[in-house]
Amino acid sequence: MSLIPVEEALQRLLAMADQGVPLEQEEVPLDEADGRVLSSDLLVPLDLPPWPNSAMDGYALRHADWQGKPLPVSQRILAGQAPEPLLPGTCARIFTGAPLPDGADTVEMQENVELRDGHVYFVQPLGLGQHVRLQGQEVRAGEQVLAAGSRMGPVELGLAASLGYARLMVWRRVRVSLVSSGDELVEPGLPLAPGQIYNSNRRLLMAWLRRVGCEVRDAGIMPDDPQRTREILAAQVGSDLILSTGGVSVGEADFLGQVLREEGELELWKLAIKPGKPLTCGRFRGIPVLGLPGNPASTLVTFALLARPYLLRRMGVQDVAPRMIEVPAGFSWPKSGTRREYLRARLEDGQAIIHPNQSSGVLRSAAWADGLVEIREGRTLVEGEPVRFVALSELLG
């Protein structure tokens, strides 16, 4: 069987996500909408600003009343106050964000005036409309400011609040059953027997899934037994995805692929990626199953580049590709490979430096790194040549 290229695997996963049963909509308070995905367009219910206001602390006046002569101050307007109409031939003391009084069309900042005997002296020429934010200057009522499928973050939540939204319509969270596979796994805090290791992938993925915005169902550790594998998979009724780690290679105790072949559908297996080649994808009794390799670095890379985009698309996000930048390589890569490689790296002095230990079983290198460098199939590198780099902050958000 030939290995599946990374781009093809991703496109097939995204197609699976698009074909999934649509998630239900739900209304949530604004304070609970961080990381959620809008299920409908966010429209502007009112002009913003809702009325002309001052962009400066200063004095508001009718430009036609300014003839190089001083004007008396007829009122003082603070932000949040409703002003009186401006008396002809006067100006108003005004503060940033305060509404312009009817009749005023210009503001002069306080630094450019002199105040004597209750009159304001304008020391330089005034431009009509200067320092005035017009009604609807930012957005007009009825405009779309965020499209359905937008993921809400601090800026988007602030925008929604500025428009008066207290609640938002979003897609419900994707329900993910998280399974770890392997008799060798032990949860942290318990004693290790000979041949056993602590289960790091569970903590890695549980935190990451929650950051993505999923509802996580902990399905525990799946032993190396085909019947128990079937039983645990069958118990995940109501989940949108079963995400497992381990048990996807070709060893005699790797049963996930076998069970999917026998009682479900196997749609993806063996990718042209390093680390992460044994990734497996299919369905068990209609529920999508994504089996990530058990080695921690392989888990990290395949979740970041394949599982995370799948989940985001399932949530309704359209632009799911992580943003990559080109940087000079601070290393050489003399031997080309047949698989797409992702190396744990960090940026130093504008160059990508790779960790000396790229073993798929090591997480320490990922903790050292601040991103991944992509090495394309068949490519060699000389130090200084450009490589693509994706920040872990981009992938973990």
Side-chain angles (χ1 to χ4, degrees), residues 209-236:
L209 286 164
R210 287 173 177 154
R211 283 196 181 194
V212 171
C214 298
E215 176 186 323
V216 186
R217 299 176 172 183
D218 185 3
I221 295 176
M222 191 160 57
D224 294 327
D225 176 87
Q227 184 56 35
R228 285 295 292 136
T229 298
R230 291 185 186 91
E231 291 170 356
I232 290 174
L233 294 181
Q236 309 313 313

Side-chain angles (χ1 to χ4, degrees), residues 48-72:
L48 197 65
W51 17 254
N53 69 89
S54 178
M56 295 285 180
D57 291 344
Y59 295 86
L61 66 149
R62 181 183 293 107
H63 188 266
D65 288 344
W66 171 70
Q67 301 293 333
K69 60 183 180 182
L71 297 176

